[in-house]
Coordinates of all heavy atoms in Angstrom, one line a residue:
M14 N 0.8 -1.2 0.0 CA 0.0 0.0 0.0 C 0.9 1.3 0.0 O 0.5 2.2 -0.6 CB -0.9 0.0 1.2 CG -1.8 1.1 1.3 SD -3.0 0.8 2.6 CE -3.4 2.4 3.1
Y15 N 1.9 1.2 0.7 CA 2.8 2.4 0.8 C 4.0 2.3 -0.1 O 4.8 3.2 -0.1 CB 3.4 2.6 2.3 CG 2.3 2.7 3.3 CD1 2.2 1.7 4.3 CD2 1.3 3.7 3.3 CE1 1.3 1.8 5.3 CE2 0.4 3.7 4.3 CZ 0.3 2.8 5.2 OH -0.6 2.8 6.2
G16 N 4.1 1.3 -0.8 CA 5.3 1.1 -1.7 C 6.2 0.1 -1.0 O 5.7 -0.9 -0.4
E17 N 7.5 0.2 -1.3 CA 8.4 -0.8 -0.7 C 9.7 -0.1 -0.2 O 10.0 1.0 -0.6 CB 8.8 -1.9 -1.7 CG 9.3 -1.3 -3.0 CD 9.5 -2.4 -4.0 OE1 8.5 -3.0 -4.5 OE2 10.6 -2.7 -4.4
G18 N 10.4 -0.7 0.7 CA 11.6 -0.2 1.2 C 11.5 0.6 2.4 O 10.4 0.6 3.1
A19 N 12.5 1.4 2.8 CA 12.5 2.1 4.0 C 11.5 3.3 4.0 O 11.0 3.7 5.0 CB 13.9 2.7 4.3
E20 N 11.3 3.8 2.8 CA 10.3 4.9 2.7 C 8.9 4.5 3.1 O 8.2 5.3 3.8 CB 10.3 5.5 1.3 CG 9.5 6.8 1.1 CD 10.1 7.9 1.9 OE1 11.3 7.9 2.2 OE2 9.4 8.9 2.1
S21 N 8.5 3.3 2.8 CA 7.2 2.8 3.2 C 7.0 2.7 4.7 O 6.0 2.9 5.2 CB 6.9 1.5 2.5 OG 7.7 0.5 3.0
G22 N 8.1 2.2 5.3 CA 8.1 2.1 6.8 C 8.0 3.5 7.5 O 7.3 3.7 8.5
R23 N 8.6 4.5 6.9 CA 8.5 5.8 7.4 C 7.1 6.4 7.2 O 6.6 7.0 8.1 CB 9.5 6.7 6.7 CG 9.7 8.1 7.4 CD 10.6 9.0 6.6 NE 10.0 9.4 5.3 CZ 9.1 10.4 5.2 NH1 8.5 11.0 6.2 NH2 8.6 10.7 4.0
I24 N 6.5 6.1 6.1 CA 5.2 6.6 5.8 C 4.2 6.0 6.8 O 3.3 6.6 7.3 CB 4.8 6.4 4.3 CG1 5.6 7.3 3.4 CG2 3.3 6.7 4.1 CD1 5.4 7.0 2.0
A25 N 4.3 4.7 7.0 CA 3.4 4.0 7.9 C 3.5 4.4 9.3 O 2.5 4.3 10.0 CB 3.7 2.5 7.8
D26 N 4.6 4.9 9.7 CA 4.8 5.4 11.1 C 4.3 6.8 11.3 O 4.3 7.2 12.5 CB 6.3 5.3 11.5 CG 6.7 3.8 11.6 OD1 5.9 3.0 11.8 OD2 8.0 3.6 11.5
L27 N 4.0 7.5 10.3 CA 3.5 8.9 10.5 C 2.2 8.9 11.3 O 1.3 8.0 11.0 CB 3.3 9.6 9.2 CG 4.6 9.9 8.4 CD1 4.3 10.4 7.1 CD2 5.5 10.8 9.2
W28 N 2.0 9.8 12.2 CA 0.8 9.8 13.1 C -0.5 10.1 12.3 O -1.5 9.5 12.6 CB 1.0 10.8 14.2 CG 1.0 12.2 13.8 CD1 2.1 12.9 13.4 CD2 -0.1 13.1 13.6 NE1 1.8 14.2 13.0 CE2 0.4 14.3 13.1 CE3 -1.5 13.0 13.7 CZ2 -0.4 15.4 12.8 CZ3 -2.3 14.1 13.5 CH2 -1.7 15.3 13.0
Y29 N -0.4 10.9 11.3 CA -1.6 11.3 10.6 C -2.0 10.2 9.6 O -3.2 10.1 9.3 CB -1.5 12.6 9.9 CG -0.4 12.8 8.9 CD1 -0.5 12.4 7.6 CD2 0.8 13.4 9.4 CE1 0.6 12.5 6.7 CE2 1.9 13.5 8.5 CZ 1.8 13.1 7.2 OH 2.8 13.3 6.3
V30 N -1.1 9.4 9.1 CA -1.5 8.3 8.3 C -2.3 7.2 9.1 O -3.3 6.8 8.6 CB -0.2 7.6 7.6 CG1 -0.6 6.4 6.9 CG2 0.5 8.6 6.7
S31 N -1.8 6.9 10.2 CA -2.6 6.0 11.1 C -3.9 6.6 11.5 O -4.9 5.8 11.6 CB -1.8 5.5 12.3 OG -1.5 6.6 13.1
L32 N -4.0 7.9 11.7 CA -5.2 8.5 12.1 C -6.2 8.4 11.0 O -7.4 8.1 11.2 CB -5.0 10.0 12.5 CG -6.2 10.8 12.9 CD1 -6.7 10.3 14.3 CD2 -5.9 12.2 12.9
I33 N -5.8 8.7 9.7 CA -6.6 8.6 8.6 C -7.1 7.2 8.3 O -8.3 6.9 8.1 CB -5.9 9.2 7.3 CG1 -5.7 10.7 7.4 CG2 -6.7 8.8 6.1 CD1 -4.9 11.3 6.4
L34 N -6.2 6.2 8.4 CA -6.6 4.8 8.2 C -7.5 4.3 9.3 O -8.3 3.4 9.0 CB -5.4 4.0 8.0 CG -4.5 4.3 6.7 CD1 -3.3 3.4 6.7 CD2 -5.4 4.1 5.5
E35 N -7.3 4.7 10.5 CA -8.1 4.2 11.6 C -9.5 4.8 11.6 O -10.5 4.1 11.9 CB -7.4 4.5 12.9 CG -6.2 3.6 13.2 CD -6.5 2.2 13.4 OE1 -7.5 1.9 14.1 OE2 -5.8 1.3 12.9
Y36 N -9.6 6.1 11.4 CA -10.9 6.8 11.7 C -11.6 7.3 10.5 O -12.7 7.8 10.6 CB -10.7 7.9 12.8 CG -10.3 7.3 14.1 CD1 -9.0 7.4 14.6 CD2 -11.3 6.6 14.8 CE1 -8.7 6.8 15.8 CE2 -11.0 6.1 16.0 CZ -9.7 6.2 16.5 OH -9.3 5.6 17.7
L37 N -11.0 7.3 9.3 CA -11.7 7.8 8.1 C -13.0 7.0 7.8 O -14.0 7.6 7.5 CB -10.8 7.8 6.9 CG -11.3 8.5 5.7 CD1 -11.6 9.9 5.9 CD2 -10.3 8.3 4.5
P38 N -12.9 5.6 7.9 CA -14.2 4.9 7.6 C -15.3 5.3 8.6 O -16.4 5.4 8.1 CB -13.8 3.4 7.8 CG -12.3 3.4 7.6 CD -11.8 4.7 8.1
L39 N -15.0 5.4 9.8 CA -16.0 5.8 10.8 C -16.5 7.2 10.5 O -17.8 7.5 10.5 CB -15.5 5.8 12.2 CG -16.4 6.1 13.3 CD1 -17.6 5.1 13.4 CD2 -15.7 6.2 14.6
F40 N -15.6 8.1 10.1 CA -16.0 9.5 9.8 C -17.0 9.5 8.6 O -17.9 10.3 8.6 CB -14.8 10.4 9.6 CG -15.1 11.8 9.3 CD1 -15.6 12.6 10.2 CD2 -15.0 12.2 8.0 CE1 -16.0 13.9 9.9 CE2 -15.3 13.5 7.6 CZ -15.8 14.4 8.6
I41 N -16.7 8.8 7.6 CA -17.5 8.8 6.4 C -18.9 8.3 6.7 O -19.9 8.9 6.3 CB -16.8 7.9 5.3 CG1 -15.5 8.6 4.8 CG2 -17.8 7.7 4.1 CD1 -14.7 7.8 3.8
I42 N -19.0 7.1 7.4 CA -20.3 6.6 7.7 C -21.1 7.5 8.6 O -22.3 7.7 8.4 CB -20.1 5.2 8.3 CG1 -19.5 4.2 7.4 CG2 -21.5 4.6 8.8 CD1 -20.3 4.0 6.1
L43 N -20.4 8.1 9.6 CA -21.1 9.0 10.5 C -21.6 10.2 9.8 O -22.6 10.8 10.1 CB -20.3 9.3 11.7 CG -20.0 8.2 12.7 CD1 -19.2 8.6 13.9 CD2 -21.3 7.5 13.2
S44 N -20.8 10.7 8.9 CA -21.2 11.9 8.1 C -22.4 11.6 7.3 O -23.4 12.4 7.2 CB -20.1 12.3 7.1 OG -18.9 12.7 7.9
I45 N -22.5 10.5 6.6 CA -23.7 10.1 5.8 C -24.9 10.0 6.7 O -26.0 10.5 6.4 CB -23.4 8.8 5.0 CG1 -22.3 9.0 4.0 CG2 -24.7 8.3 4.4 CD1 -21.8 7.8 3.3
I46 N -24.8 9.3 7.8 CA -25.9 9.1 8.7 C -26.3 10.5 9.3 O -27.5 10.7 9.5 CB -25.6 8.1 9.8 CG1 -25.4 6.7 9.2 CG2 -26.7 8.0 10.8 CD1 -25.0 5.6 10.1
S47 N -25.4 11.3 9.6 CA -25.7 12.6 10.2 C -26.5 13.5 9.2 O -27.4 14.2 9.5 CB -24.4 13.4 10.6 OG -23.8 12.7 11.6
F48 N -26.0 13.4 7.9 CA -26.8 14.1 6.9 C -28.2 13.6 6.7 O -29.1 14.4 6.7 CB -26.0 14.0 5.5 CG -26.7 14.6 4.4 CD1 -26.8 16.0 4.2 CD2 -27.4 13.8 3.4 CE1 -27.5 16.6 3.2 CE2 -28.1 14.4 2.4 CZ -28.1 15.7 2.2
K49 N -28.4 12.3 6.8 CA -29.7 11.8 6.7 C -30.5 12.1 7.9 O -31.7 12.4 7.8 CB -29.6 10.3 6.5 CG -29.1 9.8 5.2 CD -29.0 8.3 5.1 CE -30.3 7.7 5.2 NZ -30.3 6.2 5.0
T50 N -29.9 12.2 9.1 CA -30.6 12.5 10.3 C -31.1 14.0 10.2 O -32.2 14.3 10.6 CB -29.7 12.3 11.5 OG1 -29.3 10.9 11.5 CG2 -30.4 12.6 12.8
F51 N -30.2 14.8 9.8 CA -30.6 16.3 9.7 C -31.7 16.4 8.7 O -32.7 17.2 8.9 CB -29.4 17.1 9.3 CG -29.7 18.5 9.2 CD1 -29.9 19.3 10.3 CD2 -29.8 19.1 7.9 CE1 -30.2 20.7 10.1 CE2 -30.0 20.5 7.8 CZ -30.3 21.2 8.9
K52 N -31.7 15.7 7.6 CA -32.7 15.8 6.6 C -34.1 15.3 7.1 O -35.1 16.0 6.9 CB -32.3 15.0 5.4 CG -33.3 15.1 4.2 CD -32.9 14.2 3.1 CE -34.0 14.1 2.1 NZ -34.1 12.8 1.5
H53 N -34.1 14.2 7.9 CA -35.3 13.7 8.4 C -35.8 14.6 9.6 O -37.0 14.8 9.7 CB -35.1 12.3 9.0 CG -34.9 11.3 7.9 ND1 -35.8 11.1 6.9 CD2 -33.9 10.4 7.7 CE1 -35.4 10.1 6.1 NE2 -34.2 9.7 6.5
Y54 N -34.9 15.2 10.3 CA -35.3 16.1 11.4 C -36.0 17.4 10.8 O -36.9 17.9 11.3 CB -34.1 16.5 12.2 CG -34.4 17.4 13.4 CD1 -35.0 16.9 14.5 CD2 -34.2 18.8 13.3 CE1 -35.3 17.7 15.6 CE2 -34.5 19.6 14.3 CZ -35.1 19.1 15.5 OH -35.4 19.9 16.5
K55 N -35.4 17.9 9.7 CA -36.0 19.0 9.0 C -37.4 18.7 8.4 O -38.3 19.6 8.4 CB -35.1 19.5 7.9 CG -35.3 20.9 7.4 CD -34.2 21.3 6.5 CE -34.5 21.0 5.1 NZ -33.6 21.5 4.1
D56 N -37.6 17.5 8.0 CA -38.9 17.1 7.5 C -39.8 16.6 8.6 O -40.9 16.1 8.3 CB -38.7 15.9 6.4 CG -38.0 16.4 5.2 OD1 -37.9 17.6 5.0 OD2 -37.4 15.5 4.5
K57 N -39.4 16.7 9.8 CA -40.2 16.3 11.0 C -40.6 14.8 11.0 O -41.6 14.4 11.4 CB -41.4 17.1 11.2 CG -41.1 18.6 11.4 CD -42.3 19.4 11.7 CE -42.2 20.8 11.8 NZ -41.1 21.5 12.4
E58 N -39.6 14.0 10.6 CA -39.8 12.5 10.6 C -39.0 12.0 11.8 O -37.9 11.4 11.6 CB -39.4 11.9 9.3 CG -40.2 12.4 8.1 CD -39.7 11.8 6.8 OE1 -38.8 10.9 6.8 OE2 -40.1 12.3 5.7
F59 N -39.5 12.2 13.0 CA -38.8 11.9 14.2 C -38.5 10.4 14.4 O -37.5 10.1 15.1 CB -39.4 12.6 15.4 CG -39.5 14.1 15.2 CD1 -40.7 14.7 15.2 CD2 -38.4 14.8 15.2 CE1 -40.8 16.1 15.1 CE2 -38.4 16.2 15.0 CZ -39.7 16.8 15.0
D60 N -39.3 9.6 13.9 CA -39.1 8.1 14.1 C -37.8 7.7 13.3 O -37.0 6.9 13.8 CB -40.2 7.3 13.7 CG -40.7 7.6 12.2 OD1 -40.4 8.7 11.7 OD2 -41.3 6.7 11.6
K61 N -37.6 8.3 12.2 CA -36.3 8.0 11.4 C -35.1 8.6 12.1 O -34.0 8.1 12.0 CB -36.5 8.4 10.0 CG -37.5 7.6 9.2 CD -37.6 8.0 7.8 CE -38.7 7.2 7.1 NZ -38.9 7.7 5.7
V62 N -35.3 9.8 12.7 CA -34.2 10.5 13.4 C -33.8 9.6 14.5 O -32.6 9.4 14.7 CB -34.7 11.9 13.9 CG1 -33.6 12.5 14.8 CG2 -34.9 12.8 12.7
K63 N -34.7 9.1 15.3 CA -34.4 8.2 16.4 C -33.6 7.0 16.0 O -32.7 6.6 16.6 CB -35.6 7.9 17.2 CG -35.3 7.1 18.5 CD -36.6 7.0 19.4 CE -37.4 5.8 19.0 NZ -38.5 5.5 19.9
A64 N -34.1 6.4 14.9 CA -33.4 5.2 14.4 C -32.0 5.5 13.9 O -31.1 4.7 14.2 CB -34.2 4.6 13.2
N65 N -31.8 6.6 13.3 CA -30.5 7.0 12.9 C -29.5 7.3 14.0 O -28.4 6.9 14.0 CB -30.5 8.2 11.9 CG -31.0 7.9 10.6 OD1 -30.9 6.8 10.1 ND2 -31.5 8.9 9.9
L66 N -30.1 7.9 15.1 CA -29.2 8.2 16.3 C -28.8 6.9 17.0 O -27.7 6.8 17.4 CB -30.0 9.1 17.2 CG -30.1 10.6 16.7 CD1 -31.0 11.3 17.7 CD2 -28.8 11.2 16.5
I67 N -29.8 5.9 17.0 CA -29.4 4.6 17.6 C -28.4 3.9 16.8 O -27.5 3.3 17.3 CB -30.7 3.8 17.8 CG1 -31.6 4.4 18.9 CG2 -30.4 2.4 18.1 CD1 -33.0 3.8 19.0
S68 N -28.5 4.0 15.5 CA -27.5 3.4 14.6 C -26.1 4.0 14.8 O -25.1 3.3 14.8 CB -27.9 3.6 13.1 OG -29.2 2.9 12.9
V69 N -26.1 5.3 14.9 CA -24.8 6.0 15.1 C -24.2 5.5 16.4 O -23.0 5.3 16.5 CB -25.0 7.6 15.2 CG1 -23.8 8.3 15.7 CG2 -25.3 8.1 13.8
L70 N -25.0 5.4 17.5 CA -24.5 5.0 18.8 C -23.9 3.6 18.7 O -22.8 3.3 19.1 CB -25.6 5.1 19.8 CG -25.2 4.6 21.2 CD1 -24.2 5.6 21.8 CD2 -26.4 4.6 22.1
I71 N -24.7 2.7 18.1 CA -24.3 1.3 18.0 C -23.0 1.1 17.1 O -22.1 0.4 17.5 CB -25.4 0.4 17.4 CG1 -26.5 0.3 18.5 CG2 -24.9 -1.0 17.0 CD1 -27.8 -0.4 17.9
L72 N -23.0 1.8 16.0 CA -21.8 1.8 15.1 C -20.6 2.3 15.8 O -19.5 1.8 15.6 CB -22.1 2.5 13.8 CG -22.9 1.8 12.8 CD1 -23.3 2.8 11.6 CD2 -22.3 0.6 12.3
T73 N -20.7 3.4 16.5 CA -19.6 4.0 17.2 C -19.0 3.0 18.2 O -17.8 2.8 18.3 CB -19.9 5.3 17.8 OG1 -20.5 6.2 16.8 CG2 -18.8 6.0 18.5
V74 N -19.9 2.5 19.0 CA -19.4 1.5 20.1 C -18.8 0.3 19.5 O -17.7 -0.1 19.9 CB -20.6 1.1 21.0 CG1 -20.2 0.0 21.9 CG2 -21.1 2.3 21.8
L75 N -19.4 -0.3 18.4 CA -18.8 -1.4 17.8 C -17.5 -1.1 17.1 O -16.5 -1.9 17.2 CB -19.8 -2.0 16.7 CG -21.0 -2.7 17.2 CD1 -21.9 -3.1 16.1 CD2 -20.6 -3.9 18.1
Y76 N -17.3 0.1 16.5 CA -16.1 0.5 15.9 C -15.0 0.7 16.9 O -13.8 0.3 16.6 CB -16.3 1.7 15.0 CG -15.1 2.0 14.1 CD1 -15.0 1.3 12.9 CD2 -14.1 2.9 14.4 CE1 -14.0 1.5 12.1 CE2 -13.1 3.1 13.6 CZ -13.0 2.4 12.4 OH -11.9 2.6 11.6
L77 N -15.3 1.3 18.0 CA -14.3 1.5 19.0 C -13.8 0.2 19.7 O -12.6 0.1 20.1 CB -14.8 2.5 20.1 CG -15.0 3.9 19.6 CD1 -15.7 4.7 20.7 CD2 -13.8 4.5 19.1
F78 N -14.6 -0.8 19.7 CA -14.2 -2.1 20.3 C -14.0 -3.1 19.2 O -14.1 -4.3 19.5 CB -15.3 -2.5 21.3 CG -15.4 -1.7 22.5 CD1 -16.5 -0.9 22.8 CD2 -14.4 -1.7 23.4 CE1 -16.6 -0.1 23.9 CE2 -14.4 -0.9 24.6 CZ -15.5 -0.1 24.8
R79 N -13.7 -2.8 18.0 CA -13.6 -3.7 16.9 C -12.5 -4.7 17.1 O -12.6 -5.9 16.8 CB -13.4 -3.0 15.6 CG -12.1 -2.3 15.4 CD -12.2 -1.4 14.2 NE -11.0 -0.6 14.0 CZ -10.7 0.5 14.6 NH1 -11.5 1.0 15.4 NH2 -9.5 1.1 14.4
Y80 N -11.3 -4.3 17.7 CA -10.2 -5.3 17.9 C -10.6 -6.3 19.0 O -10.2 -7.5 18.8 CB -9.0 -4.5 18.2 CG -8.5 -3.7 17.1 CD1 -8.3 -2.3 17.3 CD2 -8.2 -4.2 15.8 CE1 -7.8 -1.5 16.2 CE2 -7.7 -3.4 14.8 CZ -7.5 -2.1 15.0 OH -7.1 -1.3 14.0
E81 N -11.2 -5.9 20.0 CA -11.6 -6.8 21.0 C -12.7 -7.8 20.5 O -12.7 -9.0 20.9 CB -12.2 -6.0 22.3 CG -11.1 -5.3 23.1 CD -10.8 -4.0 22.5 OE1 -11.4 -3.5 21.5 OE2 -9.8 -3.4 23.0
I82 N -13.6 -7.3 19.7 CA -14.6 -8.2 19.1 C -14.0 -9.2 18.2 O -14.4 -10.4 18.2 CB -15.7 -7.3 18.4 CG1 -16.5 -6.5 19.4 CG2 -16.6 -8.2 17.6 CD1 -17.4 -5.5 18.8
I83 N -13.0 -8.7 17.4 CA -12.4 -9.7 16.5 C -11.6 -10.7 17.2 O -11.6 -11.9 16.9 CB -11.4 -8.9 15.5 CG1 -12.3 -8.1 14.5 CG2 -10.5 -9.8 14.7 CD1 -11.5 -7.1 13.7
N84 N -10.9 -10.3 18.3 CA -10.2 -11.3 19.1 C -11.1 -12.3 19.8 O -10.8 -13.4 20.0 CB -9.3 -10.6 20.2 CG -8.1 -9.9 19.5 OD1 -7.7 -10.3 18.5 ND2 -7.6 -8.9 20.2
L85 N -12.3 -11.8 20.2 CA -13.3 -12.7 20.9 C -13.9 -13.7 19.9 O -14.0 -14.9 20.2 CB -14.4 -11.8 21.4 CG -15.5 -12.5 22.2 CD1 -14.9 -13.1 23.5 CD2 -16.7 -11.6 22.5
I86 N -14.1 -13.3 18.6 CA -14.7 -14.2 17.6 C -13.6 -15.1 17.1 O -13.9 -16.3 17.0 CB -15.3 -13.4 16.5 CG1 -16.5 -12.6 16.9 CG2 -15.7 -14.3 15.3 CD1 -17.0 -11.6 15.9
G87 N -12.4 -14.6 16.8 CA -11.4 -15.5 16.1 C -10.4 -15.8 17.0 O -9.6 -16.4 17.4

């Protein structure tokens, strides 16, 4: 992914590369759900807003404990 050689090791050790790779998927999904939540809130569809907020909560908790869950399963 980073290429080969010593340069790839240096790139992999940068703090912002690991930050992007670790939290970018969560940020993308939460952004999409937040947009949908705001749209439903504006249209006064509160049952969908509640469902989206619960989804955000569950996804965040599962994402933060993903390594522990993977170790528990496998």
